[in-house]
Amino acid sequence: MLKSRTFLKKTRAGGVMKIVREHYLRDDIGCGASGCAACGSAHEGPVLEPQPLDRVSSLCPQPHYLLPDTNVLLHQIDVLEDPAIRNVIVLQTVLQEVRNRSAPVYKRIRDATNNQEKHFYTFTNEHHRETYVEQLQGETSNDRNDRAIRVAAKWYNEHLKKMSAENQLRVIFITNDRKNKEKAIEEGIPAFTCEEYVKSLTANPELIDRLACLSEEGNEIDSGKIIFSEHLPLSKLQQGIKSGAYLQGTFRASRENYLEATVWVHGDTEDNKEIILQGLKNLNRAIHEDIVAVELLPKNQWVAPSSVVLLDEGQNEDDMEKEEERECTLKTAVSEKMLKPTGRVVGIIRRNWRPYCGMLSKSDIKESRRHLFTPADKRIPRIRIETRQASTLEGQRIIVAIDGWPRNSRYPNGHFVKNLGEVGDKETETEVLLLEHDVPHQPFSQAVLSLLPKMPWSITEKDMKNREDLRHLCVCSVDPPGCTDIDDALHCRELENGNLEVGVHIADVSYFIRPGNALDQESARRGTTVYLCEKRIDMVPELLSSNLCSLRSNVDRLAFSCIWEMNHNAEILKTRFTKSVINSKASLTYAEAQMRIDSSTMNDSITTSLRGLNKLAKILKKGRIENGALTLSSPEVRFHMDSETHDPIDLQTKELRETNSMVEEFMLLANISVAKKIHEEFSEHALLRKHPAPPPSNYEILVKAAKSKNLEIKTDTAKALADSLDQADSLTFPYLNTLLRILATRCMMQAVYFCSGMDTDFHHYGLASPIYTHFTSPIRRYADIIVHRLLAVAVGADCTYPELTEKHKLAELCKNLNFRHKMAQYAQRASVAFHTQLFFKSKGIVSEEAYILFVRKNALVVLIPKYGLEGTVFFEEKDKPKPRLTYDDEIPSLKIEDTVFHIFDKVKVKIMLDSSNLQHQKIRMSLVEPQIPGISVPTDTSNMDISEPETKKKKLQK
């Protein structure tokens, strides 16, 4: 049956256009109940069970299906995902509304409907002849959708009566809309609120904790005192932004001070790019990463960024007087040039809440169901939740979701989602850091795995069609020990004309991952492989990463080769790119390759090839450095694990050999060669990587630190910086140059992916290269897969596809890749920090030499070269007399009593694990030398107690 609507539309040119919309209605759409004779096999995919007996509800003892409305799906998704909830009918009307309002919830619902065990059925009510409803005159689209949902619920109940008159199978309508529920009951539809229904499931009391508390009024605290000003409605915010009265930006909370935040203003405006917010009332219930509207305060109310460290540790959750006292400590007298644009949040444009990991701070009130949850991320405020499981959840890592933040509540309200496991447990803590850094780490879905090649796999005649056979070449790979995802291999040989042929061969991952399929989409979503201390979260399934794509020795593998003809001065004479087949003759570690190069007895073809590569790499590196490339430093650590317990038993900084540099030089050369080629072919949509030059203000700390050691660092250009770093040497202090390079690294900007058609500045500052991309690691970086596809089209080895040449799509992809790379970096650092804690937990207290990296108003940030470990030595501690501190920002220096400390000064510190805060266990450092009476601690550690406080001990022994 065909329904059509006709309406007239005025065109830009002033003419009138007739538009006809056709809507097809069908009789053959199934109800989804298996065993329904009326529908037969009309339904596909997961279906409802014929006898749903899994839930016993005191409100509806008969077998039943659930039919939720849009708001229940949007806000109570945590309840619906629980294994106890099955046999749910998801209407097309509801699904479309959810899709328009929340992409993450829509994805979760799609996952539930694809899960066979959940028995979620999508019913296409908008195309069913008996359930389609037309919008009435004067009826809002919202009211029309509510009516469509009720019509579908009524139709279901009547339809199921025909199917099973004897067992009274029913459909229960779940809605939190009071009016909609009343109308449904009037129409004879069994209807309950989500809360009523969940509380009726007496066999599943834990489900109550997962309910989102939505009604802010019912949720407000008993005191009723208004703390925050009202958020303006969206329409007023948009008007204000348009008129310039308000500014729109991203809210970034501070990790170190819960009463301070910044808003990064959207748009190209250089003025007021960053606005400071101070004090709870000005933060006005915004949460980290929310998109907010801010109003600038008059200039006489502008403030300077606070240098005070303030953590929200108060036990009395609504003591506002105390908060106001703490706000006063932020306001210190500062010079006018330190003042920054200051504002207040007037409304929220978009909430960017996510589920948060953390711990329960159990209420002191006995039998209380209301408790505070402390997130692991210090930028997130504490959350008030109601739970009956407080005693079981104590000392556990849990996940909580925020539901809302009433005006008269000091904290937002939320609900319990999931228990992850015990605090300190390695598996639990790894799960927490993956969730907190938004690293996709669920097992690959069946849809993804089904696209993998069937084993045993081999290269066919068809595969060889557009490929060069390079299996005769003496190719080898050089990687860290234990590496199984080998992306790259190299060869070097002398040609008859006396020149050298050098090849970089990269795994041909794009052969296995075809554009647009489920495997491609999942790889693009993950963006990168994440390397933790003991675990690797692969971007592609293991069959590809460690086997079919990995360029292991003595097996035929598909590759994409970049081959140069060079003279002995490493000058490139010819470059060519080809899809190939290689057979690596050896998989070496950096140490093994170095040993071959240095050996006087080994002269086989692999060793000769490595020596040739190493000689050329040295020339290439020298040339790069002369061009102004920076050689920076960052202390990287390697853990030695116990083979049985997998706990770290030793911690060392990674040793870098010549062979590390050799591989790096050829990877850089390949990336630059490929970048030039793809930009030549696709000037508007090449995926490139740039490293912006830092603003001069970034270098202030480096210049001042060098000056304090009578050295001059020039920062006008990358070349000037590189040269002055090379000259900054001290015979009496050999480690000084490394420290300067570590500090220079901190001054740098983040390198990012971008689309060539959307930017004009391509320069890579750190490498001093006018153009750069990533081509050499497609097993672990999705950017490289796109670059492989672009290069394949450029050399005629593969065909193009629409998304590849659409610059806006490419720009969106780059945005996700930049986010994923940044999060992977943070997750890796968090993993190192956690394993460092485990190491010092077993090691006990140690004293080591350290160098000062930064001086703060009340602390020194130090680096311990032996462990590559950075930490902070604080001089103002609770319950201890405050020392006399004098901070000088110009030098910079910190005077403690009568001793002055400068950046790069050598000190001795005591390192120990502080477990007094279970949630945020940290490495604590105290000054040993130079000795300052009342400040320095003795080297003898026998009388120091670094375990948990007594109260915590008692709780843990329960």
Side-chain angles (χ1 to χ4, degrees), residues 291-522:
I291 307 297
V292 298
V294 288
E295 178 182 49
L296 271 180
L297 296 174
K299 278 200 173 180
N300 61 359
Q301 291 180 36
W302 285 15
V303 297
S306 162
S307 52
V308 181
V309 175
L310 273 185
L311 300 178
D312 182 9
E313 292 172 333
Q315 286 308 305
N316 185 352
E317 54 193 64
D318 293 303
D319 189 349
M320 286 309 293
E321 282 173 25
K322 199 74 177 271
E323 298 297 357
E324 281 158 20
E325 265 176 49
R326 298 190 90 173
E327 281 176 28
C328 291
T329 64
L330 303 182
K331 296 172 176 57
T332 49
V334 285
S335 66
E336 206 161 303
K337 65 170 188 174
M338 299 286 284
L339 299 176
K340 293 273 168 75
T342 308
R344 66 183 190 97
V345 171
V346 290
I348 308 289
I349 291 160
R350 191 177 76 239
R351 289 289 194 190
N352 273 330
W353 296 342
R354 59 178 175 84
Y356 301 103
C357 300
M359 287 178 69
L360 195 71
S361 309
K362 199 177 167 198
S363 168
D364 294 337
I365 305 163
K366 221 179 174 189
E367 302 303 316
S368 172
R369 286 182 183 175
R370 203 177 259 187
H371 310 273
L372 277 179
F373 161 84
T374 308
D377 186 340
K378 291 180 182 175
R379 294 168 300 187
I380 307 299
R382 296 201 283 174
I383 302 163
R384 183 185 285 108
I385 66 166
E386 282 196 30
T387 176
R388 291 150 182 73
Q389 310 172 58
S391 20
T392 7
L393 297 179
E394 231 186 334
Q396 303 283 304
R397 289 279 192 192
I398 63 172
I399 297 179
V400 161
I402 297 179
D403 300 325
W405 195 339
R407 285 177 61 201
N408 60 359
S409 170
R410 167 69 182 80
Y411 296 110
N413 293 318
H415 64 273
F416 166 77
V417 175
K418 189 182 179 185
N419 184 358
L420 294 173
E422 202 175 326
V423 172
D425 173 72
K426 215 178 294 182
E427 287 298 310
T428 305
E429 295 301 334
T430 302
E431 178 75 4
V432 167
L433 74 87
L434 291 171
L435 289 167
E436 279 300 295
H437 295 98
D438 197 8
V439 174
H441 59 286
Q442 290 71 29
F444 288 98
S445 69
Q446 217 36 60
V448 169
L449 298 174
S450 66
L451 293 164
L452 296 175
K454 302 287 173 278
M455 296 302 283
W457 175 86
S458 61
I459 297 166
T460 64
E461 280 299 312
K462 191 181 166 194
D463 297 332
M464 294 298 295
K465 214 173 183 182
N466 294 320
R467 288 180 188 274
E468 266 188 61
D469 191 341
L470 303 179
R471 287 176 284 196
H472 61 285
L473 293 177
C474 185
V475 171
C476 67
S477 62
V478 184
D479 290 282
C483 176
T484 59
D485 51 346
I486 303 169
D487 287 287
D488 53 89
L490 301 153
H491 88 271
C492 175
R493 63 173 180 165
E494 195 157 337
L495 298 170
E496 287 173 6
N497 62 7
N499 289 329
L500 296 169
E501 180 188 82
V502 176
V504 164
H505 311 277
I506 305 298
D508 189 5
V509 181
S510 62
Y511 166 86
F512 295 97
I513 300 179
R514 300 312 294 162
N517 68 18
L519 178 54
D520 183 44
Q521 287 170 1
E522 183 60 23

Side-chain angles (χ1 to χ4, degrees), residues 120-307:
F120 274 42
Y121 178 68
T122 309
F123 178 60
T124 324
N125 63 311
E126 294 291 354
H127 290 280
H128 193 290
R129 191 202 291 269
E130 294 180 48
T131 58
Y132 172 72
V133 300
E134 284 197 50
Q135 193 165 344
L136 304 175
Q137 208 169 353
E139 187 178 40
T140 65
S141 54
N142 201 29
D143 289 344
R144 181 257 165 212
N145 287 347
D146 284 348
R147 188 161 58 86
I149 295 167
R150 292 197 304 274
V151 165
K154 192 167 186 176
W155 175 84
Y156 253 108
N157 277 313
E158 285 165 3
H159 178 79
L160 293 176
K161 269 181 196 165
K162 297 172 199 169
M163 171 187 153
S164 59
E166 69 287 344
N167 66 11
Q168 297 175 306
L169 191 54
R170 302 172 79 184
V171 166
I172 291 180
F173 177 40
I174 305 291
T175 178
N176 288 332
D177 181 330
R178 190 165 41 84
K179 285 182 183 170
N180 207 7
K181 183 188 162 192
E182 285 167 7
K183 283 181 184 173
I185 292 168
E186 277 170 30
E187 292 166 21
I189 305 162
F192 303 108
T193 66
C194 194
E195 192 173 340
E196 286 169 346
Y197 182 75
V198 165
K199 285 182 176 174
S200 77
L201 302 175
T202 46
N204 303 93
E206 74 287 349
L207 264 180
I208 299 170
D209 285 355
R210 300 188 77 166
L211 276 170
C213 347
L214 292 173
S215 99
E216 292 205 341
E217 295 76 30
N219 222 355
E220 294 193 349
I221 50 172
D222 307 330
S223 70
K225 185 183 170 187
I226 300 293
I227 299 169
F228 300 103
S229 56
E230 201 168 349
H231 286 152
L232 297 179
L234 199 55
S235 55
K236 278 195 179 168
L237 296 179
Q238 284 164 339
Q239 281 169 14
I241 291 163
K242 210 172 177 182
S243 70
Y246 307 138
L247 295 165
Q248 175 178 328
T250 305
F251 182 89
R252 301 266 165 85
S254 161
R255 283 179 199 276
E256 292 173 345
N257 186 342
Y258 75 100
L259 294 174
E260 187 169 281
T262 50
V263 170
W264 284 83
V265 178
H266 300 170
D268 303 323
T269 157
E270 275 308 305
D271 301 335
N272 306 334
K273 192 75 187 155
E274 190 184 7
I275 294 170
I276 288 186
L277 313 175
Q278 267 186 11
L280 278 181
K281 290 179 182 177
N282 289 339
L283 301 178
N284 197 4
R285 298 173 287 156
I287 290 170
H288 185 64
E289 292 293 344
D290 282 350
I291 307 297
V292 298
V294 288
E295 178 182 49
L296 271 180
L297 296 174
K299 278 200 173 180
N300 61 359
Q301 291 180 36
W302 285 15
V303 297
S306 162
S307 52

